Amino acid sequence: MPLPFPPDGHGPYRLLRGFAMPAVDALHHGCERPEEAQEARLRAILDGARGTAFAQDHGLSGEESFEAFRQKVPIRDYNALRPWMDRVIAREPGVLTQAPVTSLLKT
């Protein structure tokens, strides 16, 4: 499959490549091997959530496959996630991520 981006490009794309070559290379790699990119992203998410209240509440060990993750963590709207969000808003550490939460943005 050809990459969606030209190897050299022009204007903004060349500028992006100059300043963010590792990110551009990662994007190209993800386009070439989407399953690997998705697996790596899931691993990063699970590593960041290891030992958190959310992970414990959902029985996540950090070693879940995509299918196991889907079974343990159903799709929910913001209101269903509100109990964990309220704890983060109250500045409780280790609720959704091991890293300190510095800001919140409702998307």
Side-chain angles (χ1 to χ4, degrees), residues 27-67:
L27 178 61
H28 280 232
H29 179 80
C31 290
E32 292 172 341
R33 296 179 185 86
E35 293 85 6
E36 287 179 25
Q38 290 172 352
E39 180 69 28
R41 175 57 31 211
L42 178 62
R43 295 277 71 83
I45 290 168
L46 290 174
D47 285 346
R50 192 181 309 268
T52 63
F54 187 85
Q56 291 171 3
D57 292 347
H58 291 83
L60 298 174
S61 68
E63 303 301 321
E64 282 74 19
S65 65
F66 278 113
E67 188 55 38

Side-chain angles (χ1 to χ4, degrees), residues 2-19:
L3 291 175
F5 311 103
D8 297 318
H10 65 287
Y13 183 72
R14 274 198 322 227
L15 186 63
L16 175 65
R17 284 186 65 88
F19 284 107

